[in-house]
Structure formats: C-alpha cells, structure tokens
Amino acid sequence: MALILLRAILHNSSLLVWGFFCCCFVLFCFFPMTVLHAQGKQMFNGSSISQFLLLAFTDMRKFQLLHFWLFLGIYLAALLGNGLIITTIACDHHLHTPMYFFLLNLSILDLGAISTTVPKSMDNSLWNTRAISYPGCAAQIFFVFFLFSAEYCLLTIMAYDRYVAICKPLHYGTLLGSRACVHMAAAAWGTGFLNAVLHTANTFSLPLCQGNVLDQFFCEIPQILKLSCSHSYLREVGLLVVGACLTFGCFVFIVVSYVQIFRAVLRIPSEQGRHKAFSTCLPHLVVVSLFLSTVLFAHLKPPSISSPSLDLVVSVLYSVVPPAVNPLIYSLRNQELKDSLRKIMTGSFSEAIKFLFSFAQRS
C-alpha cells in the first residue's frame, strides 16, 4: 500500500516540488521578521538574550585541545570522503545513474550537516569559550533541521530506488527516469527546507526567560524549549509530534520496501545473483540503521539513564559520526565506485606529472 501511495505521489512530483518551493519562499520571507520580532519582544520584557552558552566537552585545557584535533581529523575525513564521492560521480559518466545521483545528493547533505556543528565546536574548544550568538544559534538550528530532514527524506527515496531496481527491474528506466529523479531529490530538499523554516521560526518566536545555558554542544530545539517561560512552547511540541508521525511513516515505507526486496532476493535461483542483489542494498541499509538508531536513542532514551556526558556522546554519534563514515560504508563494497575513483585519481596524477615535466622543460 505504501509503495502504491508513493508511486501516485511521484506522478504528481512536479506539482509537489513547485508547491514546496512556493511555501518555502513565503516562509523564508517571513522568517527573518519572526526572529527579529522575538528579539524585540525579549528586549521589551527586559530579558534579552544576545548569546547562548553551549555545553563544553571538558574544562581542562589539554583535553580541549585534544577535542579540537580529534574533531579536526573527523571533519577533514568527512570532507575528503564526501568530496571524493561527489567528484567521482560528477566526473564519470558511467555513474550517471539514479542510485549514484541520490548518493551524490546524500554526500552533499552530509558535508553540510557536519559543517553546521563541528567547526563551531572546534572553535569554542580552541579558544576556550562556550558562547554562540543568538543569530548563530538560530542559523545552526535551521541548517541542522534542514539538512537532516532532507537526508532522511533522501534515504527514503533511496529505499524506493532499491525496491524498483530489484523488484521491478524492467520498469526501472520508466519509474526512475532523469526527470523523476530530479523531482524526487528536489522534493527531499524542499521538504527539509520547509520543515526547518517552520520549526526555527516557531522556536525563536517564544519568549525565553530560563537563562541561556544549553546542555548540548550545538543548538538544538529541545534545549531551546527548556528555556521558554511561556506555554506557547506547546505549539512547537505539536509540530515536533507531527514531524515524528511523518518520520514514522517514512520508516514504515523503508521497512515495507526492504521486506519486498528480501522476498525478491530470496526468489533469485543462483547464489551469485542473490549476493549481487543484496550487496547493492547493504550500504543503504547500514546507513539508514546507523542514522535512525543514533537519532532515536538520543531523543527517546529513558530519563533514568540520561546524563550530560552520555547525552554528549550520543549527540556526537548521530550528528558527527554518520556524515564521516557514510562515504566509507558506500565505497567499501562498491567495486564500481572504487574503480572510477582509481581511474580519476590515476588520470589526475598523470596530468599533474605531464604538467610538471612540461613546466620544467620550459624553465
């Protein structure tokens, strides 16, 4: 039923995309005014907040520097891994297929997601501070919601891609043509943008009077709601519940897709064919499992086991680790991607050698 519903949606994907971006444009125009109005109201009430204080990993200087270098290594690894995937897919026309098109979008989202949280945390550790400005916090919440929402939508679409490739291979070119793929990717980005605008504008329209200390190393909506002194925060809680229901709907769709995929794979007579079909799904399944398990544990763990140090570790697991390891997961068992990357790197190295040799001769 879920697969039939998505197919019906895809037939009207153009209308959906335009609808998303029209809504996003209207809300984007009102978003700055909403934040400024919230700031003005807080100043009028004598409770203006110009900055927030983030949770520090440690107060000891040597461990702050260790945190800086550790996050720098993770960040550079994420930039390198995702950058190589983007470059390889963009430069090799053999990889211009729906699966790799969605993987390219996923790498772009991962780069944006890790660039939203990690550099500010590194900066605070390096300069021994905890502060983040009010606009900086609003921007961080917006981009975290935007990029992670879009990534989850894209992972749902990638599950549909694997379902069509394995269960309906004869219709793959029809159901996932270039136009349909662009529309689906645009719908994922548009959904993330709309979701981010709604939540960010609504959160920062609330009056805050419970201080400015956040128990997280980056700005997050639940932490901002703890500072609210108005019952109007229930409006944002309502939006979060609606978002959770939509998230659960996507989760059900992914599960149904993989149930159908496993049934189709088990019907393949040859063991080699089953292995090949399953190997194309395994990276996506691992990425979805890592993404959902860390996010769900971070936000649904029992209060009895909650502590600042555990919350900090879990938040790193869902906000920092997936964007860094996703390139490794997708490239580890993908021989086609590794061959293309090797070919591009070999060609680039050869061109560099030729350039240096010709430059030396001219000199």
Side-chain angles (χ1 to χ4, degrees), residues 106-120:
L106 182 67
S107 294
I108 294 172
L109 289 169
D110 280 337
L111 276 180
I114 199 169
S115 298
T116 302
T117 56
V118 169
K120 180 59 182 174

Side-chain angles (χ1 to χ4, degrees), residues 6-79:
L6 183 63
R7 189 182 302 172
I9 291 173
L10 294 179
H11 282 303
N12 298 286
S13 54
S14 299
L15 183 62
L16 284 172
V17 171
W18 282 110
F20 274 127
F21 281 105
C22 287
C23 292
C24 292
F25 176 76
V26 172
L27 289 168
F28 183 71
C29 292
F30 285 105
F31 171 64
M33 292 188 289
T34 305
V35 174
L36 290 175
H37 172 71
Q39 286 180 312
K41 185 163 66 173
Q42 288 174 359
M43 292 178 69
F44 179 78
N45 291 336
S47 59
S48 174
I49 294 178
S50 60
Q51 66 178 14
F52 295 96
L53 297 179
L54 301 173
L55 181 63
F57 280 83
T58 178
D59 294 328
M60 298 180 65
R61 187 59 186 157
K62 62 179 180 180
F63 289 120
Q64 287 178 340
L65 294 176
L66 177 63
H67 161 245
F68 169 80
W69 288 111
L70 179 63
F71 265 36
L72 179 62
I74 295 173
Y75 185 57
L76 291 178
L79 290 181

Side-chain angles (χ1 to χ4, degrees), residues 31 34-35 38 42 52 134 137-138 141-142 145 195-208 220-228 232-233 235-237 239-240:
F31 171 64
T34 305
V35 174
Q42 288 174 359
F52 295 96
Y134 188 97
C137 187
I141 283 180
F142 171 80
F145 244 91
N195 194 30
V197 170
L198 285 172
H199 283 284
T200 309
N202 192 57
T203 299
F204 283 91
S205 67
L206 301 174
L208 307 177
E220 203 176 32
I221 286 180
Q223 299 298 328
I224 300 294
L225 294 182
K226 290 180 182 179
L227 307 181
S228 174
S232 56
Y233 76 90
R235 182 178 55 195
E236 174 58 25
V237 172
L239 280 176
L240 290 173

Side-chain angles (χ1 to χ4, degrees), residues 243-257:
C245 292
L246 295 175
T247 300
F248 180 73
C250 291
F251 173 74
V252 170
F253 177 81
I254 293 172
V255 171
V256 171
S257 298

Side-chain angles (χ1 to χ4, degrees), residues 29-324:
C29 292
F30 285 105
F31 171 64
M33 292 188 289
T34 305
V35 174
L36 290 175
H37 172 71
Q39 286 180 312
K41 185 163 66 173
Q42 288 174 359
M43 292 178 69
F44 179 78
N45 291 336
S47 59
S48 174
I49 294 178
S50 60
Q51 66 178 14
F52 295 96
L53 297 179
L54 301 173
L55 181 63
F57 280 83
T58 178
D59 294 328
M60 298 180 65
R61 187 59 186 157
K62 62 179 180 180
F63 289 120
Q64 287 178 340
L65 294 176
L66 177 63
H67 161 245
F68 169 80
W69 288 111
L70 179 63
F71 265 36
L72 179 62
I74 295 173
Y75 185 57
L76 291 178
L79 290 181
L80 178 63
N82 287 290
L84 286 174
I85 286 181
I86 293 170
T87 304
T88 303
I89 295 174
C91 294
D92 191 343
H93 69 276
H94 294 104
L95 300 182
H96 293 177
T97 62
M99 184 179 77
Y100 290 108
F101 171 74
F102 294 133
L103 180 57
L104 183 144
N105 278 266
L106 182 67
S107 294
I108 294 172
L109 289 169
D110 280 337
L111 276 180
I114 199 169
S115 298
T116 302
T117 56
V118 169
K120 180 59 182 174
S121 181
M122 290 165 50
D123 178 72
N124 282 359
S125 290
L126 184 62
W127 300 108
N128 192 22
T129 181
R130 297 169 54 196
I132 184 172
S133 66
Y134 188 97
C137 187
Q140 201 171 62
I141 283 180
F142 171 80
F143 283 109
V144 165
F145 244 91
F146 169 36
L147 296 165
F148 279 103
S149 298
E151 181 164 338
Y152 186 56
C153 292
L154 190 67
L155 289 173
T156 306
I157 292 170
M158 292 172 79
Y160 176 72
D161 167 70
R162 292 298 84 208
Y163 163 76
V164 176
I166 293 175
C167 299
K168 298 182 180 296
L170 298 179
H171 301 283
Y172 189 72
T174 304
L175 295 175
L176 286 165
S178 57
R179 181 174 295 182
C181 290
V182 170
H183 287 171
M184 284 188 279
W189 285 80
T191 302
F193 186 86
L194 177 61
N195 194 30
V197 170
L198 285 172
H199 283 284
T200 309
N202 192 57
T203 299
F204 283 91
S205 67
L206 301 174
L208 307 177
C209 62
Q210 302 292 331
N212 66 338
V213 179
L214 305 178
D215 294 328
Q216 185 60 279
F217 80 95
F218 63 93
C219 288
E220 203 176 32
I221 286 180
Q223 299 298 328
I224 300 294
L225 294 182
K226 290 180 182 179
L227 307 181
S228 174
C229 53
S230 169
H231 289 295
S232 56
Y233 76 90
L234 294 174
R235 182 178 55 195
E236 174 58 25
V237 172
L239 280 176
L240 290 173
V241 170
V242 172
C245 292
L246 295 175
T247 300
F248 180 73
C250 291
F251 173 74
V252 170
F253 177 81
I254 293 172
V255 171
V256 171
S257 298
Y258 272 101
V259 168
Q260 298 295 325
I261 287 171
F262 290 147
R263 288 175 60 185
V265 169
L266 292 175
R267 287 198 297 266
I268 297 175
S270 67
E271 184 178 348
Q272 184 179 1
R274 288 195 299 268
H275 180 267
K276 183 178 180 181
F278 186 70
S279 65
T280 63
C281 301
L282 187 60
H284 176 260
L285 196 57
V286 172
V287 168
V288 170
S289 301
L290 178 65
F291 183 83
L292 288 178
S293 59
T294 52
V295 170
L296 289 176
F297 182 75
H299 294 98
L300 299 180
K301 64 182 180 298
S304 58
I305 66 169
S306 182
S307 66
S309 57
L310 178 62
D311 293 345
L312 206 55
V313 171
V314 171
S315 63
V316 170
L317 286 177
Y318 83 82
S319 63
V320 178
V321 173

